Amino acid sequence: FQLNQDKTNFTTLRNIQGIHAPLKLQMEFRAVKQVQRLPFLHSSNVALDTLRGNDECIGFEDILNDPSQSEVMGEPHMMMEYKLGLL
């Protein structure tokens, strides 16, 4: 759903403002997606939600996606060594 909504928004933006507007927005999306926390910490992706306009919406994942119950939590040292290729 989000992909189709992004395509529609990019097409509308291109028709209204020209080719530069969706290209700039896509570059901002890529830059924001590259910024992450350490692998053992939950990332809320606030910047990406703000760019998409979802920062004021309450969805399913906001209520039932409790980071303290996430399966990602593990031993921080082991996860960092795995990410750096030391293991």
Side-chain angles (χ1 to χ4, degrees):
F1 173 77
Q2 188 65 43
L3 183 62
N4 289 337
Q5 190 174 9
D6 286 344
K7 283 183 182 180
T8 305
N9 290 340
F10 289 148
T11 304
T12 305
L13 197 59
R14 181 180 181 193
N15 291 338
I16 294 172
Q17 295 185 8
I19 190 70
H20 74 282
L23 289 176
K24 180 181 178 236
L25 195 55
Q26 286 177 350
M27 287 190 312
E28 289 177 357
F29 280 161
R30 285 192 188 130
V32 166
K33 287 180 183 177
Q34 289 178 356
V35 176
Q36 295 291 322
R37 291 186 177 182
L38 294 174
F40 56 89
L41 295 175
H42 176 72
S43 181
S44 61
N45 296 322
V46 174
L48 187 61
D49 285 343
T50 304
L51 282 175
R52 286 192 171 141
N54 294 338
D55 56 337
E56 297 178 356
C57 300
I58 296 176
F60 178 82
E61 63 277 353
D62 294 327
I63 298 170
L64 297 175
N65 193 15
D66 187 13
S68 66
Q69 297 176 355
S70 176
E71 296 178 12
V72 177
M73 283 301 288
E75 182 65 35
H77 297 288
M78 296 290 285
M79 294 179 84
M80 281 304 298
E81 288 175 359
Y82 179 75
K83 183 174 181 174
L84 295 174
L86 299 174
L87 287 177

